[in-house]
C-alpha cells in the first residue's frame, strides 16, 4: 500500500506596502502636504485669485502714490503704498484659502481626504501650511510689484532705502500668510463659502471701517487689536502705534491661532 504525500505549502508573509504611513512615502504629514498642494493647483481658482491680487495691488499703489504726489503729502517710504494696498489685496488670499477648504465640502471630496489622512488635525494643518506658504510668496510678490509701481507714481515724493523696503516686503508676506491661516480656520468652522467670506469681510474690512469712521480713542484702540489694524502697524513705516511691531505680529498670530483651533474643534466634532 502506497501513500501519497503532498509537499508543505508555506504561505509567504505579506509584503509591506511602501506607502503606508510611517513606513515610507507619501504617508504622514508630508503626504498630507503633498496632497493639499496638488489639490490646490488642480483648479483655476488659485491662479485667478493671485492674478486679481496682483492687479488690485498695481491699481491701488498707483492711486495711493498719485494722490500723495498731487496733494503734496510729506515724503514717506515708498513701501507704505504696497503695505496700504494689503487692505484690499488680502481678499485675494482670503478667497483662495476659503475655496481650498469649502470646495471639498461642496463636492463631498472631503470624505476622501479624511480617509486618506484619518487624523483630522493633519488635514487642517496641511491646508493651513500650504495656504500660508502660497500667501507668503504671493504677498511678497504683490509688495515688490506695488513698490515698483508706486515709485514711478510718486515721482520723487517718496524715499527708498533697501533695508526698510525689504522689511516691508517681508512684513506684507507675513501678514498675508497669517491671514491665510485665519481664513482656513474660519472656513473649517463654517464649511460654507458664503459664511466664511461674510465673517472674514466683516472682521478684516467692514468692522475696521466702521470703527475708524465713528472715531474716538476707544474705538481706535479696538481697531488696533483687530487683524488688519494690527497688521498695518508692522507693515507700514512711520505710523504712530501704541505698541511695538513685534507685538502687532503676535496679535495677528493670536487671531490666526484662535481661528485655527475653532476650526479644528468643529472638524473633530462634526461629521464630514
Amino acid at each position: 500500500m502506497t501513500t501519497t504525500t503532498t509537499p508543505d505549502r508555506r504561505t509567504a508573509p505579506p509584503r509591506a506596502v511602501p506607502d503606508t504611513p510611517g513606513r515610507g512615502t507619501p504617508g504622514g504629514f508630508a503626504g498630507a502636504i503633498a496632497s493639499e498642494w496638488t489639490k490646490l493647483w488642480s483648479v483655476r481658482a488659485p491662479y485667478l485669485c493671485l492674478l486679481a491680487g496682483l492687479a488690485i495691488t498695481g491699481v491701488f499703489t498707483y492711486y495711493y502714490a498719485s494722490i500723495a504726489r498731487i496733494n503734496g503729502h510729506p515724503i514717506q517710504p515708498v513701501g507704505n503704498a504696497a503695505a496700504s494696498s494689503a487692505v484690499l489685496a488680502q481678499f485675494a488670499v482670503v478667497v483662495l484659502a476659503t475655496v481650498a477648504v469649502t470646495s471639498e465640502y461642496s463636492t463631498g471630496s472631503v470624505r476622501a481626504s479624511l480617509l486618506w489622512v484619518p487624523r483630522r488635525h493633519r488635514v487642517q494643518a496641511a491646508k493651513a501650511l500650504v495656504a500660508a506658504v502660497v500667501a507668503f510668496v504671493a504677498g511678497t510678490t504683490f509688495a515688490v510689484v506695488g513698490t515698483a509701481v508706486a515709485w514711478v507714481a510718486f515721482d520723487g515724493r517718496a524715499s527708498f532705502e533697501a533695508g526698510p523696503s525689504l522689511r516691508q516686503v517681508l512684513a506684507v508676506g507675513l501678514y498675508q500668510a497669517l491671514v491665510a491661516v485665519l481664513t482656513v480656520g474660519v472656513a473649517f468652522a463654517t464649511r460654507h463659502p458664503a459664511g466664511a467670506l461674510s465673517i472674514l469681510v466683516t472682521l478684516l474690512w467692514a468692522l475696521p471701517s466702521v470703527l475708524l469712521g465713528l472715531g474716538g480713542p476707544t474705538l481706535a484702540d479696538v481697531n488696533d487689536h483687530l487683524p488688519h489694524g494690527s497688521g498695518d502697524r508692522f507693515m507700514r513705516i512711520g505710523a504712530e502705534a501704541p505698541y511695538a511691531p513685534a507685538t502687532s505680529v503676535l496679535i495677528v498670530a493670536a487671531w490666526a491661532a484662535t481661528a485655527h483651533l475653532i476650526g479644528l474643534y468643529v472638524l473633530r466634532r462634526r461629521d464630514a
Side-chain angles (χ1 to χ4, degrees), residues 166-218:
L166 177 61
R167 186 185 74 79
Q168 286 190 285
V169 167
L170 296 177
V172 173
L174 176 60
Y175 174 74
Q176 298 287 20
L178 292 173
V179 167
V181 176
L182 171 70
T183 301
V184 169
V186 172
F188 269 109
T190 60
R191 301 186 171 196
H192 196 277
L197 292 175
S198 297
I199 292 173
L200 291 164
V201 169
T202 300
L203 181 63
L204 297 174
W205 180 75
L207 184 57
S209 298
V210 171
L211 293 175
L212 293 177
L214 294 175
T218 301

Side-chain angles (χ1 to χ4, degrees), residues 73-240:
H73 290 176
I75 293 178
Q76 59 182 299
V78 65
N80 280 358
S84 298
S85 70
V87 68
L88 293 180
Q90 64 182 338
F91 290 106
V93 171
V94 166
V95 173
L96 184 152
T98 298
V99 171
V101 177
T102 58
S103 62
E104 291 200 42
Y105 281 100
S106 62
T107 61
S109 60
V110 67
R111 299 185 184 91
S113 297
L114 296 178
L115 285 174
W116 168 245
V117 186
R119 297 184 179 181
R120 298 191 173 194
H121 69 277
R122 285 184 178 175
V123 175
Q124 184 180 354
K127 282 187 180 293
L129 180 59
V130 169
V133 170
V134 173
F136 179 82
V137 175
T140 54
T141 303
F142 295 165
V144 170
V145 172
T147 299
V149 172
W151 180 252
V152 174
F154 270 123
D155 193 21
R157 297 292 302 176
S159 62
F160 174 80
E161 295 181 32
S165 296
L166 177 61
R167 186 185 74 79
Q168 286 190 285
V169 167
L170 296 177
V172 173
L174 176 60
Y175 174 74
Q176 298 287 20
L178 292 173
V179 167
V181 176
L182 171 70
T183 301
V184 169
V186 172
F188 269 109
T190 60
R191 301 186 171 196
H192 196 277
L197 292 175
S198 297
I199 292 173
L200 291 164
V201 169
T202 300
L203 181 63
L204 297 174
W205 180 75
L207 184 57
S209 298
V210 171
L211 293 175
L212 293 177
L214 294 175
T218 301
L219 296 181
D221 184 64
V222 173
N223 179 69
D224 287 337
H225 290 82
L226 293 177
H228 183 260
S230 300
D232 188 64
R233 298 301 185 187
F234 71 81
M235 286 188 292
R236 297 181 65 203
I237 294 177
E240 296 182 1

Side-chain angles (χ1 to χ4, degrees), residues 32 39-40 100 218 251:
K39 286 187 289 185
L40 179 66
T218 301
I251 292 174

